[in-house]
């Protein structure tokens, strides 16, 4: 992922008509999950020895939802706020769906895209912007990796245990307070974009 300056980071607007988006990607959903979670995860395992090893500090990854078959990405709302959804294209060019890993040890990570950190706050998946160069220790952005038997990963809140980042079938976010690590909506295949 090329480095963008602060002035170049302009997240794409939120899509307003999910039905149009669904009809455009309907043929991709079934096979996209298998491709992202099966083939990509298998390749990542072969390259790095274990799924957890793709979460090394500095690695750039995509989180591909098991339910939507699309990547977790950051968007800009009409109110000029940042939000996440699970409707991103699984390509290197989808820069707003590429997450940089900070490994905190004990299978705990922080994931960010241009200093916008994935977080769970009050039972909702969101992003928290942290100014570049500032110290970052907000517990809301610390996530526990939970591996399922089929080589998917769930991202569970450290601050709010049993609440996970989750994506509905249509790519919208599932409320974290209604999503546990055993829920299919919480499962992500990992696509390694760039190794640190």
């Amino acid at each position: 992922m090329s480095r963008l300056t602060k002035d170049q980071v302009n997240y794409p607007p939120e899509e307003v008509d999910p039905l149009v988006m669904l009809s455009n990607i309907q043929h991709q959903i079934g096979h996209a999950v298998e491709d992202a979670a099966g083939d990509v995860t298998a390749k990542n395992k072969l390259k790095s020895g274990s799924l957890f090893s793709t979460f090394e500090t500095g690695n750039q990854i995509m989180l591909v939802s098991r339910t939507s078959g699309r990547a977790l990405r950051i968007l800009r709302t009409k109110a000029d706020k940042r939000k996440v959804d699970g409707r991103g294209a699984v390509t290197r060019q989808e820069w707003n769906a590429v997450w940089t890993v900070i490994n905190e040890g004990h299978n705990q990570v922080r994931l960010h895209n241009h200093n916008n950190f994935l977080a769970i706050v009050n039972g909702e998946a969101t992003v928290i912007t942290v100014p570049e160069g500032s110290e970052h220790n907000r517990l809301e952005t610390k996530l526990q990796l939970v591996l399922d038997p089929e080589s998917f990963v769930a991202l569970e809140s450290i601050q709010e245990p049993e609440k996970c980042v989750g994506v509905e079938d249509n790519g919208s976010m599932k409320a974290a307070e209604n999503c546990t690590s055993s829920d299919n909506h919480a499962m992500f295949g990992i696509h390694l974009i760039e190794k640190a």
Side-chain angles (χ1 to χ4, degrees):
M1 180 168 76
S2 62
R3 302 286 179 211
L4 300 175
T5 67
K6 183 179 176 184
D7 295 331
Q8 291 174 316
V9 177
N10 186 18
Y11 289 96
E14 178 179 17
E15 295 175 6
V16 293
D17 188 357
L19 294 177
V20 171
M21 186 272 313
L22 283 175
S23 67
N24 290 338
I25 65 164
Q26 185 175 10
H27 67 280
Q28 299 174 347
I29 290 177
H31 295 290
V33 172
E34 291 173 8
D35 292 346
D39 293 343
V40 172
T41 299
K43 288 176 189 172
N44 286 344
K45 280 187 162 186
L46 290 174
K47 288 180 187 173
S48 55
S50 143
L51 184 59
F52 285 139
S53 70
T54 59
F55 287 92
E56 292 176 2
T57 296
N59 282 0
Q60 294 179 342
I61 62 171
M62 292 185 104
L63 301 166
V64 182
S65 169
R66 181 178 192 169
T67 55
S68 76
R70 309 285 285 174
L72 192 69
R73 66 180 179 177
I74 300 175
L75 296 170
R76 182 177 30 89
T77 67
K78 289 180 182 177
D80 207 28
K81 304 280 185 194
R82 289 179 181 86
K83 68 175 269 182
V84 290
D85 77 7
R87 297 178 178 140
V90 184
T91 68
R92 225 175 240 280
Q93 292 73 32
E94 187 88 349
W95 63 269
N96 57 320
V98 176
W99 300 90
T100 302
V101 176
I102 299 174
N103 191 314
E104 300 280 347
H106 308 289
N107 295 327
Q108 296 174 359
V109 297
R110 296 178 199 271
L111 301 173
H112 71 93
N113 178 292
H114 298 285
N115 294 319
N116 293 294
F117 283 78
L118 185 60
I120 295 177
V121 179
N122 298 323
E124 296 294 328
T126 187
V127 289
I128 295 175
T129 301
V130 176
E132 191 169 347
S134 66
E135 187 174 323
H136 176 64
N137 59 0
R138 297 201 47 186
L139 195 56
E140 298 96 330
T141 64
K142 199 173 198 181
L143 303 168
Q144 181 72 47
L145 299 174
V146 181
L147 182 64
D148 92 326
E150 296 178 34
S151 298
F152 289 95
V153 172
L155 303 167
E156 183 177 270
S157 173
I158 296 294
Q159 182 170 358
E160 301 180 42
E162 294 299 315
K163 295 181 182 176
C164 292
V165 176
V167 176
E168 298 283 3
D169 296 352
N170 67 3
S172 63
M173 297 306 293
K174 182 170 183 171
E177 63 188 6
N178 298 324
C179 192
T180 65
S181 61
S182 62
D183 187 341
N184 275 340
H185 296 96
M187 298 296 156
F188 293 93
I190 307 306
H191 182 24
L192 181 63
I193 298 294
E194 186 174 309
K195 190 149 179 67

